[in-house]
Amino acid sequence: MRAFTGPIPTPPPPGRFERPAVPEDVERHLESATTRARRSVLDPLARERGTGTVGFPRRLNLPSLDGTTAAAVQVDETTCGSAVLAMLGLAGDPRAALRLAGEDPASRFVRLQHAVQAATNRRGLIVAGWPRTYGTPPWGAARFASYGGVRYTHRVAGSRALLEAAVASARAGIPVPLYTGGDVTGGWGSAVPRHVVLLTLADGEGTDGSAVLYEPSGAGLHTVPVAALLDPPPAPSGGAEMSQSTGERTAARVRKALTAALGGWPHIAWVLLPERAGRWHADDARVTMEAT
């Protein structure tokens, strides 16, 4: 585990990351599309809908040109990482999103997940392939993950600074895959990734604001406070629910929402962070990237 705890990549500066440009052929194809269809292709993660409300998850549907409402759900218990990486890639590639939005997006998404899983699991820790039953390894996910021209690296979630970097990236418009499961409080061996979700969006500054996570087993967009993502509320020490104070009931509600957002797991175990594939530039409160 210590081999995966290197320096934290520098996140993009404050501002909004300029999303990948829409190719002219995609624009032409969408000229006759409905507003809803166009939005589903150009905003597959539904970030334009905002952060939502804590405790009230929304469903994320796949891009569709004909109005089909197919949920962006993982194929089986081993493809949470594949679904997350697929949606991350679609968000950064309008042409790929348009292809999926054609006839039968649900079947296309199934095939895409299988293709992603085959690509991420070709290599294990050293040479041998990673067993499919174990899902997507973080190192395989980091090699495959891409958002436009942005590439990713991976780190074991052993510090608050790592989570702050993840939130900063989401605030700049770059989604961040998160592995959930145990944490490192019981030693490095307890940091076992069990599920994968995608931090799609965050607002506010510091510990203020809200974050949205795409949870692929239910195709849900879950809203949680940034403060809870950085410092999860502690489990109750005991006592009847009726005797809880208002603050304790609020903490319980937030803790429940956070656990649901993390796919039923209590902690973030591993993080994929964007690396500078180019140079981040702040310009008029927007952040753009020049590929090298």
Side-chain angles (χ1 to χ4, degrees):
M1 291 293 180
R2 294 187 183 276
F4 305 127
T5 57
I8 299 172
T10 302
R16 183 176 179 181
F17 178 76
E18 186 171 301
R19 297 179 187 175
V22 180
E24 291 184 5
D25 60 315
V26 175
E27 282 285 12
R28 287 195 301 271
H29 199 105
L30 293 176
E31 286 178 356
S32 59
T34 65
T35 300
R36 178 179 177 180
R38 177 183 174 85
R39 186 185 301 119
S40 75
V41 170
L42 301 183
D43 185 25
L45 295 176
R47 288 181 288 179
E48 296 298 340
R49 290 164 57 185
T51 54
T53 304
V54 175
F56 293 89
R58 299 160 292 166
R59 192 173 91 157
L60 180 62
N61 291 319
L62 295 169
S64 173
L65 293 176
D66 62 5
T68 301
T69 55
V73 66
Q74 66 190 74
V75 176
D76 56 41
E77 67 277 5
T78 72
T79 58
C80 53
S82 303
V84 161
L85 293 174
M87 293 305 299
L88 174 65
L90 294 175
D93 187 346
R95 187 175 283 119
L98 179 62
R99 286 197 300 268
L100 185 134
E103 185 179 352
D104 198 359
S107 294
R108 290 171 183 258
F109 193 52
V110 169
R111 293 194 296 271
L112 180 57
Q113 288 182 58
H114 288 317
V116 170
Q117 188 174 61
T120 57
N121 291 30
R122 285 197 185 104
R123 295 206 318 244
L125 275 172
I126 303 176
V127 177
W130 187 254
R132 181 179 180 276
T133 54
Y134 292 170
T136 304
W139 43 91
R143 285 197 305 268
F144 183 89
S146 176
Y147 174 72
V150 180
R151 305 299 300 183
Y152 289 75
T153 187
H154 63 99
R155 296 288 186 270
V156 170
S159 71
R160 177 192 168 102
L162 193 72
L163 299 181
E164 289 175 342
V167 171
S169 296
R171 280 173 170 158
I174 305 177
V176 176
L178 305 173
Y179 279 74
T180 67
D183 64 10
V184 298
T185 57
W188 293 111
S190 66
V192 179
R194 299 300 183 96
H195 190 54
V196 189
V197 299
L198 184 64
L199 176 58
T200 67
L201 178 68
D203 60 14
E205 297 181 357
T207 59
D208 295 331
S210 299
V212 178
L213 294 98
Y214 159 55
E215 195 286 295
S217 72
L221 291 173
H222 297 259
T223 302
V224 300
V226 168
L229 195 64
L230 298 176
D231 294 301
S237 57
E241 183 176 347
M242 293 296 294
S243 65
Q244 289 182 329
S245 67
T246 300
E248 289 171 332
R249 287 194 294 271
T250 299
R253 178 175 62 86
V254 170
R255 186 168 54 251
K256 181 178 179 181
L258 180 61
T259 301
L262 300 182
W265 295 94
H267 302 290
I268 297 171
W270 221 297
V271 179
L272 267 62
L273 286 173
E275 289 190 303
R276 290 190 294 178
R279 298 183 299 279
W280 302 118
H281 294 275
D283 180 23
D284 297 329
R286 294 178 67 83
V287 178
T288 61
M289 188 188 71
E290 289 181 358
T292 55

